[in-house]
């Protein structure tokens, strides 16, 4: 048990890391680039809500694939498996919400990262590294939120909703999976 969460040692950690990177970054990024190359999206920034459907669906399926495959390799109750399940759920909810509203996917990601850091901090609040990590996470989340507003990519409500969705989904999945 690490930080009070069930953790199994990773078999083939380099392979698992490559799989996670490929499915949570590589496939969505490549898919979005292909959509852009074929003129299906007008910008890689996906500024128009309707152009986010394809990339978010691909990301949702890809994250879901990671959430399914990694527990087979890392153990069903590993922290990594819980994090990936939370990420897959958050991306899927972002995809669904996008049909009606342009929620901040950057906010969702930062909220999920904060959820993980909060859980780790809650288990070991006296450790300087967890305090520093949580502090850095809060500063980064604020910077990302501010950047989305300065770029006029989202409204305050869209950024706040993204942060809350990521935070709530991340905390919920991690705490329920304990």
């Amino acid at each position: 048990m690490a930080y009070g969460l069930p953790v199994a040692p990773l078999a083939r950690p380099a392979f698992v890391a490559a799989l996670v990177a490929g499915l949570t970054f590589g496939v969505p990024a490549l898919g979005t680039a292909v959509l852009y190359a074929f003129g299906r999206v007008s910008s890689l920034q996906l500024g128009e809500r309707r152009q986010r459907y394809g990339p978010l669906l691909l990301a949702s399926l890809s994250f879901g694939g990671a959430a399914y495959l990694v527990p087979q390799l890392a153990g069903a109750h590993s922290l990594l498996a819980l994090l990936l399940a939370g990420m897959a759920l958050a991306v899927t909810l972002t995809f669904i919400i996008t049909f009606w509203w342009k929620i901040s996917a950057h906010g969702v990601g930062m909220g999920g990262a904060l959820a993980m850091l909060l859980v780790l901090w809650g288990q070991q609040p006296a450790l300087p590294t967890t305090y520093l990590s949580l502090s850095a996470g809060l500063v980064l989340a604020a910077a990302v939120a501010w950047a989305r507003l300065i770029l006029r990519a989202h409204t305050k409500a869209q950024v706040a909703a993204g942060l809350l969705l990521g935070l709530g989904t991340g905390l919920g999945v991690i705490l329920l999976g304990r």
Side-chain angles (χ1 to χ4, degrees):
M1 290 254 214
Y3 302 105
L5 295 168
V7 177
L10 288 178
R12 303 180 294 182
F15 176 74
V16 172
L19 180 67
V20 170
L23 290 174
T24 62
F25 174 74
V27 171
L30 182 61
T32 303
V34 168
L35 289 171
Y36 176 72
F38 283 100
R40 303 302 265 170
V41 297
S42 59
S43 166
L44 292 176
Q45 294 177 349
L46 304 173
E48 296 179 36
R49 182 179 53 85
R50 293 182 192 274
Q51 292 187 0
R52 298 173 71 185
Y53 301 156
L56 281 172
L57 177 60
L58 178 61
S60 179
L61 294 171
S62 190
F63 277 67
Y68 173 77
L69 291 172
V70 168
Q72 314 302 316
L73 301 168
H77 295 290
S78 74
L79 178 58
L80 180 58
L82 291 172
L83 290 171
L84 287 168
M87 290 165 62
L89 178 59
V91 172
T92 301
L93 291 172
T94 302
F95 168 67
I96 293 168
I97 291 167
T98 297
F99 282 99
W100 295 276
W101 197 50
K102 189 181 166 194
I103 190 168
S104 172
H106 286 87
V108 173
M110 291 308 300
L114 285 176
M116 179 194 67
L117 291 171
L118 279 170
V119 168
L120 296 178
W121 177 75
Q123 297 300 318
Q124 299 290 332
L127 285 179
T129 54
T130 56
Y131 176 75
L132 289 173
S133 296
L134 180 59
S135 297
L138 288 168
V139 169
L140 286 173
V144 168
W146 184 252
R148 302 312 290 161
L149 294 172
I150 292 297
L151 292 171
R152 299 183 196 265
H154 294 285
T155 65
K156 290 177 186 177
Q158 292 166 338
V159 171
L163 284 166
L164 290 173
L165 176 64
L167 182 65
T169 304
L171 286 176
V173 168
I174 290 171
L175 296 176
L176 289 174
R178 295 173 88 178

